[in-house]
Amino acid sequence: MATSDQSFIVPACKMVPMKALTVIPGKAGSVEVTDVPEPPESDGEVLVETMAIGVCGTDIEIISGAYGWPPEGRNRLIIGHESLGRVLEAPKGSGFSPGDLVVGIVRRPDPVPCDNCAAGEWDFCRNGQYTERGIKSHDGYCSERYRIEAQYLVKVDPKLGTLGVLLEPASVVAKAWEQVTSTGKRALFEPKTALVTGAGPIGLLAALMGKQMGLDVYVTDQVTEGLKPELVSSLGATYHTGPITSLPHQPDVVIECTGVGSLVFDAMEHIAPGGVLCLTGVSSGGREIAVDAGLVNRTMVLENEVVVGSVNANRRHYEAGAEALAKADSRWLERLLTRHVKLESFADAFERKADDVKVVIEL
Ligand code: BGC
């Protein structure tokens, strides 16, 4: 453990400083467990004890130095945006009581605020000045305790227990499905077949929600055996490893969860007429592929296709995500949490291993 950043000064009166997982954004190899002061009251009226943090591709990008911003005036950021915690203190009338299982919302509206942020649709922030806990200019949740405003806290059904750590990714997926259904409303849209590209946590949760909507769901990924194909078939969905062209049907909906450029264009070319392709994977860029842009344009125009990007989630999506998790088979959800790692062994959590779906850091 280290206290290497001047910006985290632990008061001498605090005999046991709080531990947090921190990183210097932009600097690879800077992730460490740091002693930090108790969370500031300015972060909110509710005090939460962190139980678990889910690791996602964004965290791996942040620790590799490719993404992330520290809070103003500091060089270290507490990471962790997928969380599960237990309320320690909450004022009367806040809607929360000690012991409640909770998840913190990631994004905060920009200070202007833009029209969307002012309306609670911060996931559609238009000026880019939003902040995100654990990602952009605001400490995350991977500390022993954190404070938060009640309006950015979501209660988790106690029956879900540790599975509540899946709520943040589930909210991102619920938003993606909302984009698909609201875009579909431009005309008669009764999708039957959905394709999900990528069998990571986002893809598997997208497949779960697609099945809950009664769709015939296909999931495509590179691996040919192991946990991912098993998870897909136990959902009642079909696992597919070949090219999109070899699917038995043209999908009405595609939820793209890999960010792989060639898959995005394959999906654009092979989606059914009137279909909606929702992009959720953030590509790293720098990889060029040859695309027949005229053909893509021609297909999209002549077949009324839509490509929609989707990021983050607002409160409505957290609520929809919570509902989807509550309806799901908890034994299936448990299988998504493939590794549980203690905070001290955080390095293990960031190492990708075969058959990893969701790695969880336990505090
Ligand atoms: C998070 C989103 C966030 C996005 C971009 C994702 O990993 O789940 O909440 O908006 O990264 O920073």
Side-chain angles (χ1 to χ4, degrees):
M1 193 195 306
T3 309
S4 57
D5 179 2
Q6 288 303 309
S7 60
F8 282 118
I9 297 168
V10 181
C13 59
K14 281 258 169 253
M15 297 305 287
V16 186
M18 180 172 82
K19 290 190 195 104
L21 193 60
T22 74
V23 65
I24 301 176
K27 190 171 172 198
S30 61
V31 63
E32 64 175 30
V33 175
T34 309
D35 289 344
V36 301
E38 286 294 319
E41 304 247 328
S42 57
D43 271 356
E45 65 279 23
V46 185
L47 179 67
V48 180
E49 170 186 46
T50 309
M51 297 161 66
I53 295 292
V55 173
C56 86
T58 303
D59 299 307
I60 294 178
E61 258 195 81
I62 296 173
I63 69 160
S64 77
Y67 195 60
W69 296 259
E72 215 183 306
R74 294 230 313 262
N75 64 353
R76 277 196 176 268
L77 167 78
I78 299 178
I79 59 172
H81 61 279
E82 296 183 6
S83 70
L84 175 71
R86 192 181 287 118
V87 172
L88 288 175
E89 289 171 22
K92 277 212 173 78
S94 64
F96 293 92
S97 317
D100 283 348
L101 284 190
V102 287
V103 166
I105 289 177
V106 175
R107 196 174 278 195
R108 296 294 173 275
D110 75 77
V112 177
C114 73
D115 293 347
N116 283 341
C117 282
E121 308 266 341
W122 52 73
D123 53 315
F124 270 91
C125 177
R126 299 192 53 159
N127 63 22
Q129 293 178 45
Y130 62 83
T131 55
E132 286 182 339
R133 291 203 64 160
I135 302 174
K136 187 169 185 269
S137 316
H138 201 151
D139 279 331
Y141 302 119
C142 198
S143 49
E144 291 177 276
R145 289 168 290 285
Y146 67 85
R147 281 192 168 273
I148 187 164
E149 310 89 328
Q151 61 174 313
Y152 295 115
L153 202 54
V154 183
K155 254 188 227 173
V156 170
D157 186 341
K159 275 190 278 180
L160 276 179
T162 319
L163 297 173
V165 76
L166 292 168
L167 180 52
E168 196 278 340
S171 73
V172 166
V173 173
K175 173 177 171 180
W177 275 112
E178 189 190 82
Q179 298 312 297
V180 170
T181 47
S182 53
T183 308
K185 287 200 182 119
R186 69 202 165 125
L188 179 71
F189 186 57
E190 290 173 346
K192 297 200 171 37
T193 309
L195 168 68
V196 173
T197 51
I202 295 288
L204 289 166
L205 290 170
L208 167 75
M209 291 185 205
K211 285 304 294 179
Q212 288 178 341
M213 292 163 73
L215 298 176
D216 193 7
V217 177
Y218 291 80
V219 179
T220 177
D221 196 291
Q222 283 173 323
V223 297
T224 51
E225 54 186 26
L227 182 63
K228 290 178 177 179
E230 277 168 41
L231 284 167
V232 170
S233 58
S234 49
L235 264 185
T238 308
Y239 193 78
H240 180 82
T241 46
I244 296 179
T245 35
S246 63
L247 282 170
H249 309 281
Q250 276 185 298
D252 303 308
V253 175
V254 179
I255 309 275
E256 207 298 307
C257 308
T258 68
V260 174
S262 56
L263 272 181
V264 170
F265 282 95
D266 279 356
M268 280 159 91
E269 227 179 294
H270 299 295
I271 195 165
V276 182
L277 161 58
C278 182
L279 307 178
T280 68
V282 183
S283 322
S284 47
R287 250 187 235 167
E288 291 184 12
I289 53 168
V291 171
D292 184 342
L295 179 66
V296 172
N297 177 70
R298 180 188 164 88
T299 316
M300 289 193 63
V301 171
L302 293 180
E303 297 185 352
N304 291 296
E305 289 163 9
V306 180
V307 179
V308 56
S310 183
V311 69
N312 194 251
N314 64 45
R315 180 171 275 280
R316 181 173 72 247
H317 308 122
Y318 279 80
E319 284 159 6
E323 226 174 274
L325 293 181
K327 273 196 284 183
D329 175 355
S330 56
R331 284 162 308 179
W332 184 84
L333 292 174
E334 257 156 37
R335 295 172 74 199
L336 299 186
L337 306 185
T338 40
R339 281 195 295 133
H340 297 254
V341 172
K342 296 273 173 233
L343 179 62
E344 300 69 43
S345 317
F346 64 86
D348 265 5
F350 297 118
E351 223 174 87
R352 289 190 203 246
K353 300 202 172 143
D355 266 355
D356 267 350
V357 177
K358 177 61 69 189
V359 179
V360 168
I361 300 179
E362 286 175 351
L363 279 95

